[in-house]
Amino acid sequence: MLRPKIPTMPSPTGLITPPTVVEPTTVVQHHPTLTPAPTASTRPTIQLTPGTALALVGAGTAVVLVVGAVLVSMLLAVAVTGASVAVCAVVIRSLISSQHRR
């Protein structure tokens, strides 16, 4: 009763087809063609002047300040929400406990 029964493999029924023979295919080698070397681009290079460097530093500082202000305001919102929920919980707890005393 507690011994597992191993199923036996049933014998196949119907037509049995012989395995197909796969013949190897021929390998064709392609010789790579040489491509010409890339030519230098005609685009002008970007020159960093002191004015543009100062503008980039100012823009980066502005981005950092804006992102920092957004993150601090989100943290403040979470803190205010948590404090208000805690105050509500204390008020509700005191109301329930004072109701049981009467």
Side-chain angles (χ1 to χ4, degrees):
M1 180 176 168
L2 297 177
R3 292 185 182 174
K5 293 182 180 179
I6 300 173
T8 59
M9 186 67 157
S11 60
T13 58
L15 298 175
I16 300 174
T17 59
T20 58
V21 177
V22 178
E23 295 181 10
T25 59
T26 59
V27 177
V28 178
Q29 293 182 353
H30 294 284
H31 297 289
T33 59
L34 297 176
T35 58
T39 59
S41 66
T42 58
R43 296 186 325 181
T45 58
I46 298 174
Q47 295 179 354
L48 194 61
T49 62
T52 55
L54 187 62
L56 287 174
V57 168
T61 304
V63 167
V64 167
L65 288 176
V66 168
V67 169
V70 168
L71 291 177
V72 167
S73 65
M74 289 172 61
L75 179 65
L76 185 62
V78 169
V80 168
T81 304
S84 65
V85 167
V87 168
C88 289
V90 168
V91 168
I92 290 173
R93 184 177 176 189
S94 67
L95 288 175
I96 290 175
S97 65
S98 68
Q99 200 173 31
H100 286 303
R101 291 182 191 158
R102 292 184 184 187

